[in-house]
Amino acid sequence: MDIFRHDILAIVGNYGSGKTEVAVNLAAVRRQAGVAVRLVDLDLVNPYFRTREARHQLTRLGIEVVLPPEEFLNADLPVLSPMVAGAMRREGGLTLLDVGGDGVGARVLGALAAAWHDRPPCLVQVINPFRPETESVAGCRRVQARIEEAARLPVAGWIANAHFMDQTTLEDLREGVALVNALVEATRRPLVLVTVPERLRAAVPADLFNCPALPIRRQLVPPWLSAETL
Amino acid sequence: MGKILMKGNEAIGEAAIRAGCTNYFAYPITPQSEVAEYLARRLPEVGGVFLQGESEVAVSYMIFGASACGERVFTTSSSPGISLMSEGISYIAAAQCPAVFVNIMRGGPGLGGILPSQGDYFQATKGGGHGDYRLLVLAPASVQEAAEMVMQAFSLAEKYRNPVMILGDGLIGQMMEPVAFPEHLATPPVNKDDWATNGMANRGSQRPNLVKTLYLDPEQLNAHNLTLRAKYQRMRQEEVRFEPYNTEVDYQVLIVSFGTMSRVCRTAIDNLKAQGREVAMIRPQTLFPYPEAAVREAAAKASCRVVLSVEMNMGQMVEDVERSVRGQRPVEWFGKCGGEVPTPEEVMEAVRGLLAR
C-alpha cells in the first residue's frame, strides 16, 4: 500500500504511541522529497510535548505548520483553528494531521467531515508495543476500535514505532515488527511504515520488513536534551 | 510486565497498584489527569476502586475516611487542587493516618498556568494546612524514580502513620521514559488493628478504635503535638535521602537542585566540565526531611566559593539551603517559574556570572 497517494494522512494511535514524533519526521522526509507539506496540530487533548515544539525547525524546512493561535498555545483548551479546515480543503501536496490520543483525540476527525468532504483522510495508526495497552494484538485492536468509532473512519494501516526513547535497540525494533505483523495477519490491513532511530539505521538488516523505513530524529525532548537536526 | 515506556503520570498510577494500593480518589486537573485516565481503566482489572470526588476538598476527606478504616489509599492532583486538599491533609496528619498524596506541580500562584513548576515547595515542606504537622516529601527526578518513590511512599506512610507527599513537576508527569516496577518495593500492609476503625469483629476486639483530631484539653493537645514532633524528629534521623553529583572533584560552585530541574543542572555541569570548570550538585530526594548535613559538608569543601540553589520557582528552597550552609558560603538563587524550564545554557550562564564576581 502506498500511503502517499492520499492527500490527507491522519496519524492516530493511543496516548504516547509517538504520533507527533512520527508526524514531524514524516513531514520533514516528504518535504525533503520535494512535496508541499502542511502539518496540522490536531491534538486537542494534551498541551505537553506537541508539534508546536518543533515548529521553528519545520518552518525552516518550508513546511506549513498549522497551530492554534499563539495566545492559546499553552492553554488546556480544545482550540480548533478555522485554518485546520482550510488546510484540509487545499489540493496538491500532503496534509498531515497530527491527531490527539485514542478515541478521545480522534473524535475531532468526525467533526471535520465537512472540511474533507469527498476526500476523507487516510488513517494510519501508530503502534509502540512497549506502551501500556498496545503490548498485544487484542490491545491494539481495542484502541483501533475506539479510534474508528470516534473518527467514523477506518484505520487503513499500521506504523510500527517500537522504541524506548534513546535506549532503543535493534531487538526492540524486531519485537515491534513482529507484533505489527501479527496485527496485519489478524486485520488484513498493511504495515505501511517502520520507524528507525537515525543512529540505528545502518544496523537494520534489509530483510527485517518490506515497507519503507522512517528515520526518526527526535524533536520532542526534555529540556536537558537537544533535539536532533531534521 | 518487564520494562515499559510510560508517562510519569501512568507510572505513578501503576506503581500504586504494584504497591498494593487499589483505592484511588481524585479530581481531574492538568497536568496530572492521565493518572485518573490510566487508573480508570486499570483499577477495575485488579478489583480496585477509582472514585472521582465532587471537589478536591471532598477527595481529601475520602482519603481520610479510607485511611482511618485501615486501607491503603492515595490521590493525585496539581497545585491548586492540593491547596484545596490542604485542610484534609492537616486532619489526616493530626489523626496519624497513613496516606499518599502526589502533587504534579503547575505554575502559580492562583490558577497560574499548566506548565511545569516547583512553586509548591513551601506548601509541601512547611505546612500548607494549619497546625504543627509535617509531610514526608519525596521529589523524583525521573519516571523510574517517581514509580519507585510512589511504591516506597505507602510503607513510609504506614511506618510513621503520616501522609507522604510525592512532589513532582508537570514534566515528571508528562514525559515518557522506560520504567520497571521493582517487586521488592511492594511491602505487605502493616497490621493496623491497634488504631484503625477496621471492624471489631475482624480484629476480635471488645474495644472500639477511635480516629479523631479534636483535643479540647490543652494538656492533651500539647502531648499530642509532642508525639507528632517526636515522629518528625525520627524522620529527620532516618529518612534523609539525597544524590551527590560530581562532588569528588575540587569544585568552585555547589548547585542544589531537585526534581527535573536537577537534570537540566546535570547537563549544565557536564558541559561546564568540558569547558574546564568544575561544578558539583547535591540533589535532595527528600525535601522534608532536608539533607542539611550533606549540603553543609559539600558547601564546606575548601575549593567551593558559592552555593547556587536552582529552582523552578522564585527561590523557595533558598532558606533551607542557607539554614544548612549556616553562613559558611554565600547562597545565591537562579530560577524561573512561568512554565518554561531553564535551559542548560541559562544555568551555565548563571554559574559563569557567579565565578566572574
Side-chain angles (χ1 to χ4, degrees), chain B residues 117-137:
Chain B
S117 160
Q118 296 179 323
D120 305 342
Y121 182 89
F122 280 152
Q123 186 192 50
T125 62
K126 318 271 178 199
H130 58 282
D132 279 284
Y133 76 91
R134 293 286 197 165
L135 302 176
L136 211 159
V137 184

Side-chain angles (χ1 to χ4, degrees), chain B residues 65-315:
Chain B
S67 176
C69 293
E71 290 286 318
R72 276 194 174 168
V73 61
F74 92 117
T75 189
T76 60
S77 190
S78 181
S79 311
I82 298 290
S83 292
L84 285 169
M85 289 182 188
S86 294
E87 181 189 87
I89 292 174
S90 166
Y91 277 66
I92 294 167
Q96 303 199 66
C97 287
V100 175
F101 290 82
V102 179
N103 181 1
I104 299 298
M105 292 177 279
R106 56 186 256 177
L111 268 182
I114 57 170
L115 293 176
S117 160
Q118 296 179 323
D120 305 342
Y121 182 89
F122 280 152
Q123 186 192 50
T125 62
K126 318 271 178 199
H130 58 282
D132 279 284
Y133 76 91
R134 293 286 197 165
L135 302 176
L136 211 159
V137 184
L138 305 170
S142 67
V143 173
Q144 180 66 41
E145 194 174 43
E148 293 180 8
M149 283 179 169
V150 167
M151 294 182 79
Q152 291 159 341
F154 289 97
S155 47
L156 285 169
E158 285 169 0
K159 176 178 175 185
Y160 291 99
R161 285 181 54 194
N162 199 72
V164 173
M165 179 166 279
I166 309 287
L167 196 66
D169 55 76
L171 209 51
I172 277 283
Q174 292 292 331
M175 69 182 184
M176 288 204 295
E177 286 184 323
V179 57
F181 299 91
E183 277 174 33
H184 72 273
L185 293 181
T187 53
V190 297
N191 187 312
K192 298 166 182 169
D193 285 354
D194 58 335
W195 64 269
T197 54
N198 55 357
M200 288 163 68
N202 289 339
R203 59 175 187 268
S205 167
Q206 299 299 311
R207 186 183 59 89
N209 284 338
L210 179 63
V211 175
K212 63 161 191 170
T213 66
L214 180 66
Y215 294 86
L216 290 174
D217 181 292
E219 274 183 38
Q220 274 189 23
L221 182 55
N222 188 48
H224 174 57
N225 271 293
L226 285 171
T227 305
L228 297 181
R229 185 172 182 272
K231 221 163 59 167
Y232 306 139
Q233 288 298 102
R234 203 176 130 215
M235 289 179 194
R236 286 190 172 98
Q237 282 153 16
E238 295 180 20
E239 307 303 340
V240 171
R241 291 194 223 167
F242 62 93
E243 184 187 56
Y245 189 67
N246 203 39
T247 47
E248 62 286 350
V249 301
D250 283 335
Y251 46 87
Q252 290 183 291
V253 178
L254 174 70
I255 287 179
V256 185
S257 187
F258 67 98
T260 55
M261 191 64 247
S262 71
R263 293 181 71 171
V264 175
C265 293
R266 246 176 202 264
T267 301
I269 290 170
D270 293 346
N271 293 348
L272 285 163
K273 189 190 264 292
Q275 296 171 6
R277 288 183 196 275
E278 293 292 359
V279 175
M281 177 166 63
I282 296 290
R283 173 173 77 90
Q285 292 164 299
T286 51
L287 299 177
F288 182 86
Y290 197 76
E292 291 165 40
V295 171
R296 180 162 54 253
E297 282 158 25
K301 190 157 190 167
S303 60
C304 180
R305 288 166 48 189
V306 56
V307 181
L308 180 63
S309 183
V310 184
E311 310 166 59
M312 279 188 271
N313 60 42
M314 289 288 119

Side-chain angles (χ1 to χ4, degrees), chain B residues 20-25 43 48-50 63 66 71-75:
Chain B
C21 174
T22 51
N23 303 295
Y24 173 67
F25 311 134
L43 277 172
V49 178
F50 162 41
I63 301 284
E71 290 286 318
R72 276 194 174 168
V73 61
F74 92 117
T75 189

